[in-house]
Amino acid sequence: MVGIAPTPSGKGYWLVAADGGVFTFGDAHFYGTASTLHLDAPITAIAPTPDGRGYWLAAAEGGVFTFGDAHFYGAAHDLAAGASIMGMTATPDGRGYWLAASNGNVVAFGDAHSYGSPAQLQTGAPIVGIAATPDGHGYWLAAADGGIFTFGDAHFYGTTSKVHLSAPIVGIAATPDAHGYWLAGADGGIFTFGDAHFYGSAHDISSNAPIAGIAAPPDGRGYWLAEQGALNVFSPTLVNDLGARSGVISASVLDLTNGATYQYRPGETTITASIVKAEILGTLLTQAQGANRTLTSSEDATATQMIEDSDNDSATDLWNEVGGAPAVQAFDNSVGMKSTNANVAWGFTTTTAADQVTLLDHLVHSNAVLSDASRAYELGLMEDVTPDQAWGVSGGTAAGTKVALKNGWLPDGGGWTVNSIGWVSGFGRNYLIAVTTSGDPSMGYGIDSISAVSTAVWNGLAH
């Protein structure tokens, strides 16, 4: 679960999940779901229409989905790189809405007016929620460290940014008269400001699921806290830590033990650098299959150097042999990599972490594109990379774990792109993982970012 919204009567609420699923309780009615759609990024917020006969869902990459009597007034797909939508709220008449991004940008649509944003300020922590004043002439933004930013007729009543928090703030809810607000922590803690009263917290409730959001009924005499309700390796603490790092980080994980997917900014696009070599080899193998032959000794030697040593000359040789960008693009399309675009300069092919997991899935499981022999061959090379290539998604794993990986790194535009993809199996774990980074101040910094994700995934997916 990623969000909660109350009905106008306060006698019910909607819960929304990251996959777009909507769940109704009390007098909340069901008007549709985004769980059956192909989403470019997870859903992060829900906002009801004033009459409760519809709702909007907002995705991390700025997409907006409408249900019931909710009208579409625009989306925020053109957000600055690295930002994710973290909150949404509607105007009092329901003829507009605001979207709040993690970097502080606030985008207004319909009759919603922009009253400013902290995007250009040193917020110190990512924005995690937005709440509008009752007249729609202002709003509050809450940051993960409890920082509060006020705009329009929203008044400042206090902050937890100077308090040592045991868990990051995940949401904000305003009192009906706009003279106060509540902040909710991921651990269930509640902080009250202005005329917001304390009615209890979930801090002492035994649960492994962090809090995902807070909502208050119209009379302001209480509040609900919504748990995530399921394991998510991208915990609020990890998300907060990743958000504080330089550059752009994206990750996608598929737990092969139960089919669960975990994603962090999965819609971010980056250049591949050398991870594209896995696609080049896949292209070569499918072409050999089509000719009903095995690789020649020369192709085998070149492919081995390309994957195990990440040799660029070998990659160029095979890139040219298979037919360059058009051929690799055809292979990418055949395995369902919908957001990957082959570039004539192979290292500048663009991709997403989610697409890379799709590729890995075709290497691990039987499919109509790659034969079992081809899959085993490519995975064998990825399992046998040289020691200086064995970093990345292997970070945090136990000795003796089976890891098949491919890394890539490239200085670009004054920063570094550092990527790692792989299959991790052993010690009760079996998962696919892709982590991409860009804008890193150094190659080592990018590796550290990837290791932070890899370690959290390894620790979180123990069965």
Side-chain angles (χ1 to χ4, degrees):
M1 296 301 162
V2 295
I4 181 173
T7 60
S9 68
K11 297 179 179 179
Y13 47 79
W14 294 271
L15 294 176
V16 63
D19 66 355
V22 174
F23 305 87
T24 62
F25 301 89
D27 65 356
H29 292 281
F30 179 76
Y31 298 104
T33 174
S35 62
T36 58
L37 305 176
H38 172 74
L39 300 175
D40 293 328
I43 297 298
T44 55
I46 181 172
T49 57
D51 61 9
R53 296 178 181 175
Y55 41 76
W56 296 271
L57 302 182
E61 43 72 58
V64 172
F65 304 88
T66 63
F67 302 92
D69 65 356
H71 292 280
F72 181 77
Y73 298 106
H77 295 296
D78 58 348
L79 280 174
S84 296
I85 294 299
M86 299 302 292
M88 181 181 197
T89 191
T91 56
D93 61 9
R95 296 178 181 175
Y97 43 76
W98 295 272
L99 297 177
S102 56
N103 64 358
N105 276 330
V106 176
V107 190
F109 299 93
D111 66 355
H113 294 282
S114 176
Y115 296 103
S117 77
Q120 305 304 318
L121 303 178
Q122 295 296 319
T123 60
I127 296 300
V128 296
I130 183 172
T133 56
D135 61 9
H137 294 161
Y139 42 78
W140 297 269
L141 295 179
D145 65 353
I148 295 293
F149 303 88
T150 63
F151 301 92
D153 63 358
H155 292 282
F156 180 78
Y157 296 105
T159 175
T160 65
S161 61
K162 303 299 183 182
V163 177
H164 175 71
L165 299 174
S166 58
I169 297 299
V170 296
I172 181 173
T175 58
D177 61 6
H179 293 160
Y181 42 79
W182 297 273
L183 298 181
D187 62 353
I190 293 292
F191 303 89
T192 63
F193 300 92
D195 65 356
H197 292 282
F198 180 77
Y199 297 104
S201 75
H203 193 277
D204 295 325
I205 295 177
S206 177
S207 174
N208 292 321
I211 296 300
I214 182 173
D219 61 10
R221 296 179 180 178
Y223 39 77
W224 298 277
L225 297 179
E227 287 184 339
Q228 286 187 2
L231 169 71
N232 187 346
V233 294
F234 295 103
S235 67
T237 299
L238 177 60
V239 169
N240 189 34
D241 290 344
L242 296 179
R245 292 187 67 80
S246 298
V248 179
I249 304 168
S250 179
S252 185
V253 178
L254 174 60
D255 187 348
L256 298 179
T257 66
N258 57 20
T261 297
Y262 308 99
Q263 298 180 315
Y264 175 76
R265 296 182 178 175
E268 299 289 351
T269 300
T270 188
I271 59 175
T272 57
S274 285
I275 61 171
V276 75
K277 293 169 183 175
E279 297 163 48
I280 297 173
L281 180 53
T283 307
L284 175 66
L285 291 169
T286 56
Q287 290 182 355
Q289 289 171 199
N292 196 28
R293 68 175 181 84
T294 60
L295 299 187
T296 67
S297 58
S298 175
E299 288 171 335
D300 175 39
T302 305
T304 299
Q305 284 186 304
M306 177 178 71
I307 299 298
E308 293 186 359
D309 302 324
S310 200
D311 183 72
N312 290 339
D313 290 338
S314 297
T316 300
D317 289 343
L318 291 182
W319 175 269
N320 292 333
E321 178 181 334
V322 300
V328 173
Q329 186 68 63
F331 169 77
D332 291 344
N333 294 343
S334 72
V335 296
M337 300 174 73
K338 298 179 179 180
S339 299
T340 299
N341 295 291
N343 191 297
V344 291
W346 53 259
F348 288 89
T349 293
T350 56
T351 193
T352 63
D355 261 13
Q356 291 299 312
V357 167
T358 296
L359 171 63
L360 291 167
D361 196 37
H362 280 76
L363 295 179
V364 172
H365 292 116
S366 294
N367 59 87
V369 179
L370 288 163
S371 69
D372 290 348
S374 293
R375 295 188 302 102
Y377 176 80
E378 182 156 355
L379 286 171
L381 297 183
M382 293 171 66
E383 290 173 30
D384 197 33
V385 296
T386 56
D388 65 344
Q389 300 285 326
W391 48 267
V393 295
S394 59
T397 62
T401 303
K402 181 178 181 179
V403 181
L405 60 75
K406 184 70 195 81
N407 297 324
W409 62 97
L410 184 70
D412 178 49
W416 283 78
T417 288
V418 186
N419 305 322
S420 185
I421 64 172
W423 175 32
V424 178
S425 180
F427 299 92
R429 299 150 172 99
N430 187 19
Y431 58 89
L432 309 177
I433 176 173
V435 187
T436 67
T437 74
S438 60
D440 298 308
S442 68
M443 179 180 170
Y445 189 94
I447 292 174
D448 288 344
S449 294
I450 295 170
S451 293
V453 175
S454 178
T455 300
V457 172
W458 172 263
N459 292 334
L461 294 187
H463 293 285

